[in-house]
Amino acid sequence: MIRVTTLRGEELVLNALFIETVKAEPDTIIHLYNGKTYIVRETKQQIIDRTTAFYASIGLIGTTGIRGEEDE
């Protein structure tokens, strides 16, 4: 889950696994797989960073180096 802020200042918590696309046009627009769209204050890079950190926290990324070393 990642925290984002709407343009009105409301804080939302989104399930990062449902993010389909993130665009900066110039506002940051997040499209989810369920068809919902959110325009947020955070930059595209901030959303990428938060999503990457979330994936690492649940073990979806960051383990390939360890597995690669075990295979050698």
Side-chain angles (χ1 to χ4, degrees):
M1 304 293 272
I2 62 169
R3 293 180 190 275
V4 296
T5 310
T6 67
L7 294 181
R8 293 183 179 180
E10 180 184 358
E11 183 179 87
L12 299 176
V13 180
L14 299 179
N15 187 336
L17 296 173
F18 292 158
I19 295 175
E20 183 175 10
T21 60
V22 178
K23 298 179 182 178
E25 302 181 342
D27 293 326
T28 305
I29 304 168
I30 302 173
H31 296 278
L32 304 182
Y33 281 109
N34 64 7
K36 293 187 178 186
T37 300
Y38 296 94
I39 301 173
V40 299
R41 291 182 178 181
E42 289 77 9
T43 66
K44 180 179 174 181
Q45 189 59 53
Q46 286 174 313
I47 299 302
I48 292 168
D49 293 344
R50 290 177 188 183
T51 301
T52 302
F54 170 71
Y55 288 166
S57 75
I58 62 171
L60 287 180
I61 61 171
T63 60
T64 54
I66 296 169
R67 288 183 183 157
E69 291 170 7
E70 290 175 0
D71 291 339
E72 291 180 9

